[in-house]
Amino acid sequence: MRFGVIGTNWITEEFIRAGQEVEGFSLGAVYSRTIDRAKEFAELFDAPHAFTDIDEMVTSNVIDAVYIASPNSFHAEQAIQCMNQGMHVLCEKPFASNIAEVEAMIQAAKKNDVLLMEAVKSTLAPNFFAIQENLHKLGKIRRYAASNCQYSSRYDAYKEGTVLRAFDPFFSNGALMDIGIYCLYPLVVLFGEPTGIKAEGILLESGVDGEGSILLKYAEHDAVISYSKITTSYLPAEIQGEEATMVIDKINHPQKVEIRYRDGRIEDVTRAQTPKTMHYEIREFIRLLQAGTKESATNSHAASRATMQIMDEARRQIGLVFPADQRGGNQG
């Protein structure tokens, strides 16, 4: 499967290095806004082609699919541009800037009969399926609690007056979009859409959120989410049931999963997995393409849609607005 990549950054490097260890993966082309950067990146990873025009890349017959890892605010436009040329798309999280863009992407995928999947790596890892398949042991679920707080390496520069992309609203960035989604997406895959949302957040002067918390209501349980790019937390995630509690070391990269029963027993349900969790999203995407399937059952369109609806409502409640919101859903 020949991939073209859009975005020449550390996450793209991680994707390519993981892909090179997956059977059926090959790197066919690199896109960048400048030919020098495109060629530099292509040479680094032995990609045979470099482009500065997305349409030219996707109509060149040298790739079968596109991985998009550009800034968040460009995801929808670029994904739709690729899909309108009949190209399959694996798009980094968050899928887009808002629900209007997500709906436009899904519509484009259906219209062009192509595969579109959000690249949330954690929900395709073996330990996420361990979580999913052992939930019944907890009894009636009463609470999902997840924290993803990582002091950003770019925050020191921000405090010194340099606003990098991570803290620039033009790129639809900030704590919720960048890392809060790692708490929300698994919640939606496991339990679906909530019936109520209450959000609080700390807005920075640049116009993005530095941290926030969300309380979500379900019919018989609640969910408590906390996320931050300006502090660090070491708390594990928990799914609390009436008979037992599941403890997950890291919700964004689950490596250890235990069930702690009320009688004191501890059951380790951890599964073996590679350190590079991107292996699993790449395998899933290639498997779907080979099967002729246009949507993942786990990282589904419905999961992407519901997660973005939660983030839109949370942003509305804390007053977080992106320039992309003014454009609406007219992406193509």
Side-chain angles (χ1 to χ4, degrees):
M1 194 65 59
R2 301 169 301 170
F3 281 82
V5 297
I6 296 176
T8 50
N9 49 43
W10 71 269
I11 194 69
T12 311
E13 291 189 23
E14 186 176 308
F15 172 80
I16 294 169
R17 294 188 197 282
Q20 290 172 335
E21 298 174 356
V22 173
E23 183 178 355
F25 174 95
S26 71
L27 180 62
V30 170
Y31 163 85
S32 184
R33 288 172 297 172
T34 65
I35 191 61
D36 288 345
R37 178 59 176 158
K39 287 182 176 179
E40 176 189 1
F41 206 82
E43 289 173 7
L44 179 63
F45 292 103
D46 297 322
H49 302 280
F51 294 92
T52 58
D53 184 291
I54 292 176
D55 280 335
E56 185 180 347
M57 180 175 73
V58 299
T59 58
S60 64
N61 295 319
V62 300
I63 60 172
D64 305 301
V66 175
Y67 169 71
I68 297 177
S70 54
N72 302 337
S73 56
F74 300 151
H75 286 182
E77 180 180 359
Q78 291 173 340
I80 291 169
Q81 186 178 357
C82 292
M83 290 187 288
N84 283 344
Q85 296 291 351
M87 194 60 53
H88 306 286
V89 171
L90 176 61
C91 185
E92 259 307 330
K93 60 82 198 162
F95 229 4
S97 298
N98 52 51
I99 190 60
E101 291 186 351
V102 169
E103 294 289 6
M105 291 168 69
I106 294 172
Q107 182 180 3
K110 294 183 183 302
K111 180 183 73 173
N112 294 291
D113 194 31
V114 295
L115 170 61
L116 171 67
M117 189 179 90
E118 189 165 6
V120 181
K121 57 188 179 182
S122 55
T123 47
L124 295 169
N127 279 316
F128 179 78
F129 294 111
I131 295 167
Q132 197 170 38
E133 293 166 17
N134 284 281
L135 279 179
H136 67 280
K137 298 177 180 179
L138 308 184
K140 183 172 287 188
I141 304 297
R142 289 305 193 182
R143 173 164 293 158
Y144 169 104
S147 172
N148 191 15
C149 303
Q150 305 171 29
Y151 188 95
S152 172
S153 60
R154 298 168 179 84
Y155 189 49
D156 287 338
Y158 175 85
K159 290 191 290 186
E160 293 172 1
T162 301
V163 180
L164 301 174
R165 283 184 178 180
F167 293 99
D168 189 339
F170 177 80
F171 297 107
S172 303
N173 278 334
L176 174 62
M177 301 293 278
D178 289 350
I179 61 177
I181 187 173
Y182 278 119
C183 299
L184 292 169
Y185 204 94
L187 171 69
V188 168
V189 173
L190 292 172
F191 302 111
E193 298 181 47
T195 58
I197 302 168
K198 294 180 181 179
E200 296 288 347
I202 303 298
L203 297 183
L204 303 178
E205 290 182 359
S206 69
V208 304
D209 59 328
E211 67 174 31
S213 302
I214 306 175
L215 179 63
L216 303 109
K217 180 73 174 74
Y218 286 82
E220 295 187 302
H221 74 272
D222 65 12
V224 182
I225 305 296
S226 64
Y227 53 90
S228 175
K229 289 174 72 75
I230 59 176
T231 60
T232 298
S233 172
Y234 303 93
L235 293 174
E238 290 187 344
I239 303 175
Q240 302 169 6
E242 292 187 355
E243 302 302 323
T245 293
M246 184 178 288
V247 182
I248 305 144
D249 62 343
K250 298 177 182 177
I251 195 63
N252 61 313
H253 186 191
Q255 297 173 301
K256 188 171 182 61
V257 184
E258 289 183 342
I259 300 174
R260 302 187 180 185
Y261 295 91
R262 286 195 296 113
D263 63 7
R265 287 180 297 123
I266 298 177
E267 181 183 4
D268 190 339
V269 296
T270 305
R271 294 183 183 175
Q273 64 183 41
T274 69
K276 296 179 182 176
T277 47
M278 274 189 156
H279 285 154
Y280 302 105
E281 68 186 56
I282 296 168
R283 288 175 185 168
E284 170 79 346
F285 193 79
I286 292 174
R287 181 189 67 79
L288 293 169
L289 280 179
Q290 291 174 337
T293 305
K294 302 303 190 300
E295 184 178 351
S296 169
T298 302
N299 287 15
S300 64
H301 294 170
S304 295
R305 180 187 287 115
T307 302
M308 185 57 70
Q309 286 174 327
I310 293 170
M311 294 198 294
D312 273 7
E313 176 59 20
R315 287 201 296 118
R316 186 192 69 79
Q317 291 186 23
I318 68 175
L320 175 56
V321 179
F322 297 136
D325 297 329
Q326 311 306 319
R327 296 197 299 263
N330 264 338
Q331 296 293 322

